[in-house]
Amino acid sequence: MANTLTVTDNRTGKSYEIPISYGTYPEYGASIPTADLRQIRASEEDFGLLGYDPAFKNTASCKSAITHIDGERGILRYRGYPIEELAESAGFLEVAYLVTHGELPTADELEAWTHEITYHTYVHESIKKFTEGFHYDAHPMGMLVSTVAALSTFYPEARDIADPEVRRRQIVRLIAKMPTLAAFAYRHSKGLPYVYPDNDLAYAADFLTMMFKMTEVKYEPNPVVERALDVLFILHVDHEQNCSANAMRSVGSSRVDPYSATAAACAALYGPLHGGANEAVVRMLGDIGDPKNIPDYLERVKKGEVKLMGFGHRVYKNYDPRAKVIKKLAYEVFDEVGKNPLIDIAVELEKRALDDDYFVERRLYPNVDFYSGLIYQSMNLPMDMFPVLFAIGRTVGWLAQWEEMLTDPEQKIARPRQVYLGHDKRTYEPLSARE
Ligand code: ACO
């Protein structure tokens, strides 16, 4: 079998042979280098054939070895390790090491990495002043986007992105400082004094302390809540070429510093089509209000009046493996802090939807957002903090994607082509001559 594609241009009758290459896994399909289409021309002056693919629905923008998704079978793996096993047995910083370094750490490596991250959690005092400048009701995600970008001005060395040691230092700083920036944004919105990081605490416990410590000498987070948050961070670490990872790669391809690129990725996550669906699920469950109203709600979904939020996914045509882990986690948290009454509506809604032909035929299953908002709500986290929590975990994935892009010799500054539909050349008329 020849691994080539023969294309005949019916305008000219000419045939071209284009190589087909395969990734490691059949579910990712085969690909052709679309640059090879440029040789296909109708005339000498012709620019050559382009691929037209708005929203990259069928275009691979990179070769990556970080995250493996098989949407048909509901599989998600980081560096080859199934998400269920990592969520069950690993800690967030262990997974962060795996995703950024490619291998699981040894005990010594994990200890050194944890120490390094822990000792970089402080932010410059001026960042505090910066946060104070925001209006009292500023959205915490807006504050996060801005403060992450501001970090670049504190670390001018970060611009030296060609130096692997400089890159590594910024990766450590960003993973370490995101929870501090996130907690400062929350405390500001509540009008509460900022709580500084505590180097005696593990990553999730430190974040919970910076969020919720009041007058007590030592805030002691509930260990089940702490572990649940750690797992939620793990589940959000990476999801291959999603909108924010693509923003990170695209902005980073200009060789800007990683703080500015991460701010761009955060901004992409801020959008309701990306990081905001878990909030929409909580609002939807509140609107349904009672399990007895579910049939009516599902009828409205089927008529196209509303969407079943937290259901469906561009890639997963099976149960999102992260949703399975989160559903189990929700009950563990509720056993500790009290049941979120919306869970009964969520479980019944899921059951009825999965029994309904409309959802079965369209292969619509719960996604990561269906249960995560309920857990966050039970942890007393306000809805506008939900995407911020997503950003803390996802920073690890963004940085791994960024470094992979920078070290890939095939990558260049991202610069898509366009199909131009505007005016042909026009002559400028002075203002006085215009009607
Ligand atoms: N409720 C009702 N119907 C749905 C839903 C839903 N949640 N999702 C898809 N459908 C229907 C569509 O109406 C369409 O039906 P049709 O064939 O009769 O026209 C069919 O299923 C296919 O859906 P598409 O919109 O083509 O699927 P797409 O891949 O473009 O969208 C998306 C995926 C955006 C996630 C969609 O399922 C959705 O809007 N879900 C609700 C929002 C949500 O939960 N987003 C979080 C995603 S996970 C994340 O980003 C972290």
Side-chain angles (χ1 to χ4, degrees):
M1 181 178 73
N3 283 324
T4 57
L5 178 75
T6 302
V7 180
T8 303
D9 185 346
N10 294 324
R11 299 170 301 177
T12 59
K14 278 197 200 160
S15 280
Y16 303 83
E17 201 166 338
I18 296 174
I20 294 178
S21 51
Y22 294 88
T24 322
Y25 304 95
E27 58 269 24
Y28 277 94
S31 61
I32 57 160
T34 38
D36 280 16
L37 298 175
R38 285 278 292 282
Q39 59 183 310
I40 305 177
R41 295 166 188 219
S43 64
E44 272 307 303
E45 305 78 57
D46 189 350
F47 177 79
L49 212 56
L50 291 177
Y52 173 63
D53 185 11
F56 297 115
K57 289 198 290 283
N58 195 44
T59 295
S61 62
C62 63
K63 292 175 182 162
S64 182
I66 301 169
T67 291
H68 179 175
I69 301 177
D70 180 341
E72 288 296 316
R73 292 189 290 158
I75 285 173
L76 169 62
R77 297 182 196 138
Y78 299 155
R79 303 282 188 188
Y81 294 96
I83 191 69
E84 297 85 350
E85 288 178 27
L86 295 172
E88 182 66 34
S89 311
F92 172 66
L93 287 186
E94 191 182 349
V95 174
Y97 186 100
L98 167 71
V99 170
T100 51
H101 294 70
E103 296 297 334
L104 282 168
T106 62
D108 286 349
E109 285 165 343
L110 181 59
E111 197 189 326
W113 170 249
T114 304
H115 182 273
E116 218 181 348
I117 300 279
T118 307
Y119 280 76
H120 281 88
T121 45
Y122 268 67
V123 290
H124 194 285
E125 279 293 287
S126 296
I127 283 281
K128 226 171 70 182
K129 291 188 208 141
F130 197 87
T131 309
E132 271 157 16
F134 286 102
H135 207 45
Y136 72 95
D137 61 353
H139 195 291
M141 200 62 183
M143 290 192 248
L144 186 71
V145 170
S146 315
T147 47
V148 174
L151 281 184
S152 78
T153 63
F154 294 91
Y155 305 108
E157 60 156 11
R159 274 177 273 172
D160 189 7
I161 50 109
D163 182 332
E165 188 40 44
V166 171
R167 282 203 303 268
R168 212 189 87 80
R169 269 204 297 280
Q170 316 319 313
I171 288 173
V172 167
R173 283 185 176 132
L174 269 159
I175 296 172
K177 292 180 202 308
M178 285 300 268
T180 315
L181 298 178
F184 277 17
Y186 171 76
R187 301 288 289 200
H188 177 72
S189 66
K190 290 273 166 200
L192 291 168
Y194 303 119
V195 175
Y196 286 95
D198 180 342
N199 288 353
D200 290 341
L201 297 175
Y203 194 84
D206 193 26
F207 175 64
L208 288 167
T209 301
M210 288 190 283
M211 292 283 291
F212 297 125
K213 184 172 182 299
M214 297 302 285
T215 53
E216 60 276 55
V217 176
K218 197 100 180 160
Y219 174 84
E220 286 189 10
N222 180 314
V224 174
V225 170
E226 180 189 338
R227 174 63 190 155
L229 189 61
D230 214 52
V231 172
L232 285 160
F233 287 153
I234 292 173
L235 296 177
H236 286 92
V237 159
D238 196 55
H239 214 229
E240 52 122 297
Q241 304 312 311
N242 54 83
C243 179
S244 56
N246 182 57
M248 182 84 190
R249 279 179 175 263
S250 183
V251 172
S253 76
S254 74
R255 301 308 192 249
V256 74
D257 69 86
Y259 301 99
S260 303
T262 303
C266 277
L269 189 67
Y270 193 178
L273 293 188
H274 192 6
N278 46 16
E279 177 179 339
V281 171
V282 175
R283 290 191 197 286
M284 173 190 75
L285 296 173
D287 287 347
I288 295 174
D290 192 293
K292 74 174 188 321
N293 299 328
I294 291 173
D296 284 351
Y297 192 83
L298 288 180
E299 280 313 306
R300 291 182 59 207
V301 172
K302 289 195 265 181
K303 281 188 203 148
E305 291 172 15
V306 283
K307 269 195 169 177
L308 184 53
M309 296 312 291
F311 257 67
H313 198 277
R314 174 65 61 78
V315 181
Y316 293 116
K317 301 301 166 201
N318 202 324
Y319 214 103
D320 180 337
R322 300 168 299 175
K324 268 190 206 154
V325 177
I326 292 182
K327 188 176 177 185
K328 183 165 162 273
L329 203 61
Y331 284 103
E332 287 166 22
V333 172
F334 300 159
D335 281 347
E336 285 296 310
V337 301
K339 192 166 104 175
N340 186 330
L342 296 179
I343 186 76
D344 292 337
I345 303 175
V347 169
E348 185 61 20
L349 188 57
E350 177 195 329
K351 188 168 154 288
R352 289 193 179 237
L354 295 182
D355 274 348
D356 192 305
D357 285 349
Y358 175 94
F359 299 93
V360 174
E361 278 163 16
R362 290 169 179 77
R363 306 182 70 192
L364 301 171
Y365 291 86
N367 61 47
V368 67
D369 290 319
F370 194 66
Y371 290 104
S372 62
L374 295 182
I375 308 187
Y376 292 145
Q377 210 182 28
S378 297
M379 292 175 175
N380 280 330
L381 292 158
M383 282 194 232
D384 55 10
M385 279 298 283
F386 293 0
V388 173
L389 294 158
F390 192 152
I392 294 175
R394 186 55 62 86
T395 296
V396 170
W398 290 333
L399 292 164
Q401 298 282 348
W402 170 72
E403 182 144 68
E404 188 175 65
M405 178 271 303
L406 287 177
T407 51
D408 178 349
E410 288 184 356
Q411 290 291 342
K412 284 182 180 289
I413 185 166
R415 206 301 184 187
R417 294 274 171 187
Q418 66 169 14
V419 176
Y420 178 66
L421 299 176
H423 290 283
D424 200 353
K425 186 180 174 214
R426 300 197 283 176
T427 304
Y428 177 81
E429 285 179 350
L431 196 56
S432 57
R434 274 176 252 157
E435 283 290 301

